[in-house]
Amino acid sequence: MAMMNLVEALNLALDECLRERPEALIMGEDVGVDGGVFRVTKGLIEKYGAKRVVDTPLAEAGIIGTAIGMAAAGLRPVAEIQFSGFTYQAFHQIEQNMARLRNRTRGRLSVPMVMRAPYGGGIRAVEHHSESREAYWVHTPGLKVVIPSSPRAGRALLRTAILEDDPVIFYEPKAIYRAFKEDVPEAPETWPVGRARTLRDGDAITIVAWGAMTRPALDAAGELADVHDVHAEVLDLQWLKPMDTEALVASVRRTGRVVIVHEAPKTCGVGAEVAARIVEYALDHLEAPIRRVAGHDIVFPFFQVERFYLPDAARITRAVLETLQY
Amino acid sequence: MPRKTFDIGLVVEELSILDESGRADAALDPKLPEATLLKMHRFMLLTRKLDERMIMMQRQGQMGTFAPGRGQEAVQIGSILPLRSEDWYSPSYRSFGAQLWRGWTIDQLLLLWAGYFEGFGLPEGVNDMPMSIVIGSHVPVAVGLGMSINYRGGDQVVLVNFGDGASSEGDVSEALNFAAVYKAPVIFLCENNGYAISVPFQKQCGVRSLAQRGIGFGMPSLRVDGNDVLAMAAATQEAVDRARRHEGPTFIEAVTFRMEMHTTADDPKVYRSDEEVRRWEKKDPIMRFETYLKSRGLLNDAGIDRVAAEIEEELRVARDRFAARAVQRPEEVFDFHYAVMPEELAAQKREYLADLQQALAEGK
Ligand SMILES: Cc1ncc(C[n+]2csc(CCOP(=O)(O)OP(=O)(O)O)c2C)c(N)n1
Ligand SMILES: [Mg+2]
């Protein structure tokens, strides 16, 4: 066991995969000599060389497009897009090739690659560096989408994603890159694809969150227990596609109430899909309307006021109390 | 001296070997074996006749919309000739000739363009990519294939085929740049057939030759007479050899002309004159090559008739095979999305199959 933050845990997962898998490689802008602008790939080029840790030209469609070709030829590229706000420069490659090559070739070729990108607000960044657009990828058939919420999860889920034979979008909650440390086990872990995890048990209400939003969700749950004697279950969805419908339904069966938290804009955010599934499969167990504590349908506010946009423990707590009073 | 010419070490060269009357420049003639020349002729003719057959079938409602390639047969067959089966070939949607050469069966191509999923199956024994519908999007992927060859070592190469219109897509520029930076063993075959649907080359870009694009990214580039199959073969062979020697990518602009409509859904009369088309008829690549073969005593009119008759028979047989294979399989649409189908998708499939049964029972 070793205590580490999310950046260190992701670095460890990459290191382990490169060591074990000669077909695994890293590519992206500044991932080599610089070690990535967030240092997630730090030290790897020294260990594995420029052939396996590839500094690319500044062109996102080129990065994803060539990674797709390498994956189709049997390699396992882990392509970094420096910020998720620049994945749009590669949108067409993701939608048209990454997600579809298996289908287009009737299974002859596959695209076992990962696109990593830091996403989300809270780091006082310039424009286009704070969005949460995970819903785009959830909408695309052929992709898998996962977001870790802690160092241990980051290390396990990144390894899981790299070893998958399907293309995986791996979004990294940059707000918590260095926010806290966690014990990470000695041996590498893989976690099942499509599984949520319970971060805190409770029977009064289910709070569904993922990525950085699990932190305010946990803070709210703590306050609810300490101040209001309300015991909220916090479910970390982790995999947005495929989604753990079973875990959602099981939790709602126990609690009967749900608050969904995400920082992405509310309309057609992944929370809408979570709510729809709960209504489809657990309506009878619902005792109150489902509440969403989400970002608003606005351009991500510039950083002096971003804290008013991002869901926080206070907003979540209020939503929980109102749902309980329904 | 404050101002002087900066030598980039690259120039655009132009290559043609057969003149319009089919006479070869003896010094440049690649001197291909006779059997190869006859095979090339046969495949050029097959490509043309398949085109004609498919247009007929399309008009009879047996084929979906597709892009005919009459007039571009020399680009296809000349460029594919130097490729080995283990090399990668990434076609456009108008690459029937090269695909046939690579071993795509005729019935497979018919299935594909008639809208059957089965048509997407790639032929065995060669490293071929599926055709590209999204203009230019396959080009970065092809460069990735080239980068994988460098990663592993080996002397495979990648040939990627795209159009003059595609050259305007950002994807193509990004791909050229990546290939140049990593010295990927890629041959960029830009088939300049004069038009991107209705937009003529002059409105597509500000360069006089698309070969300038390759030069601009730092790779050797050549402008080739695309209606001259010998020039296409020689130019591509040179590029393939360079790539196999690990000396990096080459850009080839093949100058040709799209004699037919863009696709069967297009009416070229709206945007170009018959006179322009007639001018190119004189440069017909098959006619030119036949004159050459005749002058070398390799083929005569009777021989051409015999090949044509054999092709007709081949097409008839293939059409029967196509008809036998053209079976709707709506239950297959959920296949091949993931290595293992996630449960949430399996649930949707169960629902779909129930609806499907209902729809079939109702005679839909
Ligand atoms: C990204 C994209 N934009 C538009 C289209 C529609 N479209 C199909 S073919 C075509 C023209 C392509 O011209 P060119 O690259 O010269 O190839 P050609 O058809 O002449 O072989 C267009 C605009 C498309 N398929 N993909
Ligand atoms: Mg064109």
Side-chain angles (χ1 to χ4, degrees):
Chain A
M1 301 280 263
M3 290 292 282
M4 58 182 75
N5 65 31
L6 180 56
V7 166
E8 293 160 340
L10 295 170
N11 182 274
L12 177 61
L14 291 168
D15 194 346
E16 287 162 346
C17 286
L18 257 64
R19 184 182 337 133
E20 294 165 31
R21 295 288 190 136
E23 77 273 24
L25 70 143
I26 292 169
M27 53 193 294
E29 295 157 12
D30 308 291
V31 297
V33 179
D34 192 47
V37 293
F38 288 102
R39 304 290 178 261
V40 174
T41 54
K42 190 178 156 194
L44 297 178
I45 193 168
E46 286 83 354
K47 257 181 151 161
Y48 299 101
K51 197 174 100 177
R52 303 195 58 201
V53 184
V54 184
D55 274 320
T56 65
L58 209 171
E60 289 74 17
I63 295 169
I64 299 302
T66 54
I68 293 164
M70 288 197 274
L75 302 181
R76 276 182 196 271
V78 183
E80 174 179 307
I81 300 296
Q82 206 157 67
F83 287 86
S84 71
F86 311 130
T87 57
Y88 322 129
Q89 265 67 12
F91 201 109
H92 58 295
Q93 283 297 339
I94 299 166
E95 168 71 30
Q96 294 160 352
N97 290 326
M98 186 169 158
R100 294 168 79 128
L101 203 56
R102 178 189 292 281
N103 189 261
R104 190 180 300 135
T105 60
R106 310 310 286 156
R108 263 286 283 285
L109 301 175
S110 57
V111 187
M113 66 172 281
V114 176
M115 178 180 84
R116 294 180 40 241
Y119 84 100
I123 65 154
R124 303 174 64 78
V126 298
E127 203 195 350
H128 301 294
H129 288 66
S130 299
E131 282 86 358
S132 302
R133 297 281 188 267
E134 63 273 18
Y136 288 155
W137 315 124
V138 175
H139 202 62
T140 298
L143 297 179
K144 291 176 174 170
V145 184
V146 63
I147 302 182
S149 69
S150 76
R152 181 173 177 179
R155 193 256 204 133
L157 291 172
L158 183 51
R159 179 183 178 81
T160 306
I162 293 170
L163 299 184
E164 274 293 290
D165 287 333
D166 296 308
V168 180
I169 306 290
F170 190 91
Y171 265 20
E172 298 171 4
K174 61 179 172 296
I176 58 170
Y177 261 155
R178 296 169 192 282
F180 62 99
K181 293 193 175 198
E182 187 181 28
D183 254 334
V184 171
E186 206 60 50
E189 301 178 281
T190 55
W191 286 3
V193 174
R195 281 290 165 74
R197 62 172 182 159
T198 307
L199 296 180
R200 185 182 169 116
D201 288 318
D203 52 14
I205 191 163
T206 305
I207 304 176
V208 183
W210 52 91
M213 285 296 108
T214 55
R215 304 316 294 173
L218 284 169
D219 290 346
E223 188 188 326
L224 284 161
D226 296 347
V227 181
H228 304 277
D229 197 28
V230 166
H231 298 276
E233 181 150 292
V234 178
L235 197 67
D236 174 7
L237 206 51
Q238 302 193 115
W239 290 88
L240 307 185
K241 187 186 187 76
M243 191 183 281
D244 196 344
T245 310
E246 235 172 81
L248 289 167
V249 169
S251 181
V252 172
R253 283 208 171 120
R254 277 194 303 277
T255 63
R257 292 180 159 85
V258 189
V259 168
I260 303 163
V261 187
H262 60 69
E263 53 184 299
K266 188 174 191 177
T267 301
C268 283
V270 175
E273 179 62 28
V274 171
R277 290 193 190 201
I278 292 168
V279 169
E280 275 184 276
Y281 301 109
L283 181 65
D284 293 349
H285 300 272
L286 278 178
E287 289 163 33
I290 298 170
R291 270 289 285 274
R292 283 179 287 168
V293 179
H296 308 295
D297 295 353
I298 58 174
V299 168
F300 194 91
F302 213 11
F303 60 82
Q304 290 297 349
V305 293
E306 69 177 321
R307 65 187 185 283
F308 301 115
Y309 169 94
L310 288 168
D312 60 9
R315 272 174 70 193
I316 298 167
T317 303
R318 275 200 303 282
V320 165
L321 292 174
E322 284 164 21
T323 303
L324 287 168
Q325 279 157 19
Y326 176 81
Chain B
M1 226 186 358
R3 257 190 196 209
K4 56 181 181 179
T5 302
F6 182 78
D7 181 9
I8 60 169
L10 293 166
V11 289
V12 176
E13 287 183 315
E14 197 166 22
L15 177 69
S16 80
I17 296 176
L18 285 178
D19 69 13
E20 282 183 27
S21 64
R23 257 191 318 267
D25 181 318
L28 293 173
D29 189 328
K31 310 225 164 37
L32 297 166
E34 289 176 11
T36 306
L37 291 167
L38 292 177
K39 183 179 172 193
M40 289 162 72
H41 172 257
R42 187 195 175 85
F43 271 85
M44 287 170 74
L45 210 54
L46 172 61
T47 307
R48 178 159 304 181
K49 291 201 174 292
L50 173 61
D51 235 40
E52 289 165 1
R53 181 60 57 97
M54 281 175 70
I55 292 176
M56 233 163 66
M57 290 173 73
Q58 197 277 338
R59 298 304 186 223
Q60 292 164 357
Q62 297 166 15
M63 196 54 52
T65 302
F66 80 99
R70 184 161 68 87
Q72 303 178 214
E73 295 88 351
V75 178
Q76 291 297 314
I77 301 304
S79 68
I80 202 69
L81 177 67
L83 243 60
R84 300 178 186 154
S85 52
E86 70 271 20
D87 292 329
W88 285 95
Y89 175 57
S90 178
S92 128
Y93 45 81
R94 209 189 293 281
S95 306
F96 297 161
Q99 287 176 309
L100 289 167
W101 184 277
R102 292 287 279 179
W104 289 68
T105 61
I106 300 167
D107 43 315
Q108 184 81 13
L109 288 170
L110 294 178
L111 279 171
L112 177 58
W113 291 101
Y116 295 91
F117 262 135
E118 216 184 323
F120 272 104
L122 299 168
E124 295 295 331
V126 287
N127 275 329
D128 279 23
M129 293 299 282
M131 54 108 181
S132 166
I133 286 292
V134 183
I135 302 302
S137 67
H138 59 310
V139 187
V141 178
V143 173
L145 295 171
M147 289 164 68
S148 82
I149 296 167
N150 283 352
Y151 186 90
R152 290 205 170 100
D155 69 348
Q156 282 166 284
V157 303
V158 184
L159 175 69
V160 56
N161 185 192
F162 55 96
D164 46 297
S167 74
S168 297
E169 288 282 359
D171 264 341
V172 172
S173 290
E174 294 191 26
L176 288 166
N177 189 43
F178 271 64
V181 168
Y182 298 114
K183 287 208 172 304
V186 180
I187 296 93
F188 294 91
L189 175 62
C190 181
E191 196 165 4
N192 181 356
N193 61 4
Y195 284 88
I197 307 187
S198 69
V199 179
F201 176 65
Q202 296 74 16
K203 284 194 198 167
Q204 190 63 244
C205 55
V207 291
R208 286 175 64 190
S209 163
L210 284 169
Q212 289 170 246
R213 289 287 165 79
I215 300 270
F217 285 97
M219 67 185 73
S221 304
L222 201 57
R223 176 179 159 88
V224 182
D225 182 345
N227 285 20
D228 171 354
V229 72
L230 295 184
M232 282 308 306
T236 317
Q237 184 69 57
E238 183 180 308
V240 164
D241 292 345
R242 179 179 298 125
R244 287 206 207 289
R245 290 195 306 266
H246 308 288
E247 290 170 20
T250 303
F251 189 101
I252 295 174
E253 178 193 24
V255 182
T256 181
F257 194 77
R258 196 194 79 215
M259 300 299 289
E260 289 289 351
M261 54 282 203
H262 166 66
T263 67
T264 46
D266 172 50
D267 175 13
K269 290 202 177 356
V270 176
Y271 54 81
R272 71 183 192 188
S273 68
D274 287 345
E275 200 264 314
E276 184 184 2
V277 180
R278 269 198 306 276
R279 252 186 289 136
W280 277 89
E281 233 143 45
K282 295 198 205 77
K283 306 183 192 191
D284 184 81
I286 295 184
M287 223 167 61
R288 235 203 255 189
F289 191 40
E290 285 177 350
T291 312
Y292 168 79
L293 292 173
K294 284 181 191 167
S295 76
R296 286 195 47 189
L298 299 176
L299 201 62
N300 55 25
D301 285 332
I304 294 172
D305 288 347
R306 199 170 48 245
V307 174
E310 283 167 14
I311 287 172
E312 288 301 338
E313 177 60 14
E314 201 178 329
L315 286 170
R316 198 190 56 72
V317 172
R319 192 175 169 167
D320 289 347
R321 265 204 310 268
F322 157 70
R325 289 175 72 191
V327 182
Q328 281 183 26
R329 278 191 270 274
E331 67 280 3
E332 283 182 351
V333 297
F334 280 76
D335 295 351
F336 303 119
H337 284 85
Y338 296 96
V340 179
M341 191 180 292
E343 170 51 30
E344 65 182 25
L345 195 56
Q348 288 187 18
K349 182 177 178 180
R350 287 192 291 275
E351 214 173 292
Y352 169 82
L353 289 178
D355 288 342
L356 179 66
Q357 233 163 24
Q358 194 69 33
L360 292 175
E362 288 162 7
K364 192 168 169 182

